[in-house]
Amino acid sequence: MGRGSSVITPERQLRAERSQQMTLIYTVMVCLVSLIAVQFLLLTVALEGYLGGRTGVMSPTALVSGLCFVASCWLIRYILLSGRR
């Protein structure tokens, strides 16, 4: 009735693992692009606040921008370490 055994060949298993790795890398790349977009918006808000004389905006935007930078570095490190496996 069946067309053969349902044993997964090593080639198919390798393809499945690579597919999962690429999906993970694409997801991380989307997160990185999102973080960069948020940092650009924060830069815009900080400059607008500075030029408008509202210096109270500088500290929170710098803090959040720093957090975005740390998250971006962590994601890049995650990609680099997953590539070594």
Side-chain angles (χ1 to χ4, degrees), residues 10-26:
E11 182 181 323
R12 282 188 176 189
Q13 186 176 5
L14 183 61
R15 275 194 213 157
E17 289 175 5
R18 284 185 182 168
S19 176
Q20 287 176 348
Q21 288 174 350
M22 288 307 296
T23 301
L24 183 63
I25 288 174
Y26 289 147

Side-chain angles (χ1 to χ4, degrees), residues 7-46:
V7 177
I8 297 177
T9 63
E11 182 181 323
R12 282 188 176 189
Q13 186 176 5
L14 183 61
R15 275 194 213 157
E17 289 175 5
R18 284 185 182 168
S19 176
Q20 287 176 348
Q21 288 174 350
M22 288 307 296
T23 301
L24 183 63
I25 288 174
Y26 289 147
T27 304
V28 170
M29 287 172 59
V30 167
C31 291
L32 281 170
V33 168
S34 300
L35 284 171
I36 291 170
V38 168
Q39 278 194 304
F40 181 73
L41 289 173
L42 287 169
L43 175 67
T44 304
V45 168

